[in-house]
């Protein structure tokens, strides 16, 4: 009973966000997000402490005061993501071309023009939903992605409806046919976008990430190998509101030699290296409030 009540409460809070925040004037939404972020940061809850612990790996020479500054900026960035996301369905699509500035976008355009299909892999940096809206609304590239099944189911349905309203095709992350559907989209020359900086499943690929072991999804590398698609990492960061910036990184090629497992490991490591570059440049915009590195996960298990 308690679980069902909590599920309904969570769903109601998100529903209120989508219904209410998008009606606020933009400056009011920005100010509200900052107030919520600062309140959460001052509470020093588990998520804030975990964010600081993760940032300590990204910025190893940062002292306690610097880490607190970064975590405060990180919470503000995280709440900016939510305020923007709640407002995205009501945003004028013309703004996607002015509010988002992407470096080296020619790499994506040329890859799409090749007809091979494109897999774009992103970390949890800045606002990946806004980047998706930019791809569909400004570049004219509809794409397919996956979403983790959330509880309650009604909340998952809200997220799917929200992303589909922005022009995305959304598949369940653990759906039995999701990989095959993604492969078919790529073989027809389509675009697939995947958030790919955290994978706790048994199929996750072990990578070196900021000097320690972590696991990241094998999907982007496997899709590129199986379909011949172009694999492109992308990273994002916030500028002064409402600007968001980003970069399309060079293609991660399929190695010429090695087993499938070896090729997947090498490609996933290359994606992780691109992510690390973008995160190191803008650590405050990396929204990783969960355990990621294997030794942190092992510590929790113990």
């Amino acid at each position: 009973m308690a679980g069902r009540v909590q599920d309904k409460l969570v769903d109601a809070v998100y529903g209120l966000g989508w219904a209410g925040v998008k009606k606020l004037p933009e400056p009011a939404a920005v100010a509200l997000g900052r107030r919520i972020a600062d309140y959460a940061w001052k509470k020093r809850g588990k998520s804030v402490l975990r964010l600081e612990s993760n940032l300590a790996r990204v910025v190893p020479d940062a002292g306690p005061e610097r880490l607190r500054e970064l975590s405060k900026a990180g919470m503000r960035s995280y709440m900016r993501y939510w305020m923007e996301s709640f407002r995205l369905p009501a945003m004028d699509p013309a703004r996607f071309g002015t509010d988002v500035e992407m470096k080296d976008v020619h790499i994506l355009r040329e890859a799409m023009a090749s007809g091979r299909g494109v897999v774009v892999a992103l970390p949890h940096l800045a606002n990946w939903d806004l980047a998706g809206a930019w791809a569909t609304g400004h570049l004219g590239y509809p794409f397919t992605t996956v979403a983790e099944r959330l509880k309650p189911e009604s909340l998952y349905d809200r997220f799917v409806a929200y992303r589909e309203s922005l022009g995305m095709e959304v598949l369940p992350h653990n759906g039995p046919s999701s990989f095959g559907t993604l492969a078919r989209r790529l073989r027809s020359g389509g675009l697939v976008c995947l958030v790919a900086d955290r994978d706790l499943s048994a199929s996750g690929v072990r990578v070196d990430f900021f000097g320690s072991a972590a696991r990241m999804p094998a999907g982007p590398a496997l899709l590129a190998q199986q379909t011949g698609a172009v694999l492109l990492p992308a990273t994002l960061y916030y500028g002064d509101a409402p600007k968001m910036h980003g970069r399309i990184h060079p293609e991660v090629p399929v190695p010429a030699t090695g087993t499938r497992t070896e090729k997947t490991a090498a490609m996933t490591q290359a994606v992780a290296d691109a992510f690390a570059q973008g995160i190191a440049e803008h650590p405050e915009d990396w929204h990783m409030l969960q355990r990621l590195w294997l030794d942190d996960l092992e510590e929790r298990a113990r």
Side-chain angles (χ1 to χ4, degrees), residues 72-83:
K72 185 175 184 178
M75 291 304 294
R76 287 182 173 184
S77 176
Y78 182 55
M79 286 311 303
R80 176 174 168 178
Y81 161 78
W82 280 110
M83 293 297 110

Side-chain angles (χ1 to χ4, degrees), residues 141-152:
Y141 296 148
F143 65 87
T144 304
T145 188
V146 297
E148 181 182 359
R149 282 202 174 275
L150 304 172
K151 291 184 178 181

Side-chain angles (χ1 to χ4, degrees), residues 105-227:
V105 68
H106 69 277
I107 296 176
L108 175 59
R109 292 185 185 274
E110 291 167 5
M112 289 296 294
S114 73
R116 294 168 53 193
V118 178
V119 181
V120 174
L122 307 96
H124 288 82
L125 270 171
N127 193 333
W128 47 97
D129 285 325
L130 177 56
W134 167 81
T136 58
H138 178 63
L139 296 184
Y141 296 148
F143 65 87
T144 304
T145 188
V146 297
E148 181 182 359
R149 282 202 174 275
L150 304 172
K151 291 184 178 181
E153 190 74 15
S154 56
L155 180 58
Y156 171 78
D157 292 340
R158 285 184 188 274
F159 270 97
V160 170
Y162 153 64
R163 290 186 169 125
E164 288 180 342
S165 74
L166 300 174
M168 311 176 193
E169 179 188 22
V170 183
L171 307 175
H173 181 268
N174 57 351
S177 62
S178 293
F179 188 90
T181 302
L182 295 174
R184 287 194 295 274
R185 299 294 182 267
L186 292 168
R187 290 192 182 100
S188 64
L191 175 63
V192 166
C193 297
L194 301 171
V195 179
D197 57 346
R198 184 173 185 261
D199 189 342
L200 306 183
S201 71
S203 62
V205 178
R206 188 182 179 110
V207 297
D208 179 84
F209 197 52
F210 291 102
S212 297
R215 290 191 183 276
M216 293 189 180
L222 289 173
L223 285 166
Q225 291 178 65
Q226 185 165 315
T227 67

Side-chain angles (χ1 to χ4, degrees), residues 236-253:
L236 309 168
Y237 65 96
Y238 277 134
D240 293 335
K243 287 286 188 179
M244 186 179 76
H245 305 268
R247 178 189 175 194
I248 305 295
H249 293 255
E251 177 183 359
V252 175

